[in-house]
Amino acid sequence: MARDAPPIDAYGDGGFRVAGARHEGSLLIVGDAAYDWPVRRREDLDVESLAAVFAAGRAQVEFLLLGMGASNALPTREVRDAVRAAGLGLEFMDTPSAARLYNVLTSEGRRLACALIAV
């Protein structure tokens, strides 16, 4: 895993199990910390909800992996533009795929932030 990136052990039933601990609702992982994330549906995703990602900066995060819920959806232009302006890459997909990809990428040592809307 990259640094001490916490693994996603399971997802579903409205939450996640990360490093053995259950998180109800959506999840944001930046560096070695997992946080409850107030975004409950893709319409709630905005630039402000990603403040912790932007605060971490490029030294800690090279790109943002977004899990958009049960199906894939394009984030708003505002979110895409803010991620680009911060100098970060952006990948988005449905949450189950993003949770699996997060584990693969962190095992390869990639520096990423992961924001997942619960399914």
Side-chain angles (χ1 to χ4, degrees), residues 36-49:
D36 293 333
W37 192 41
V39 175
R40 299 294 174 234
R41 50 197 184 104
R42 65 184 112 205
E43 295 81 15
D44 298 333
L45 175 62
D46 60 15
V47 173
E48 293 79 30
S49 69

Side-chain angles (χ1 to χ4, degrees), residues 23-37:
H23 289 262
E24 292 297 325
S26 298
L27 180 71
L28 178 64
I29 302 174
V30 180
D32 62 356
Y35 307 94
D36 293 333
W37 192 41

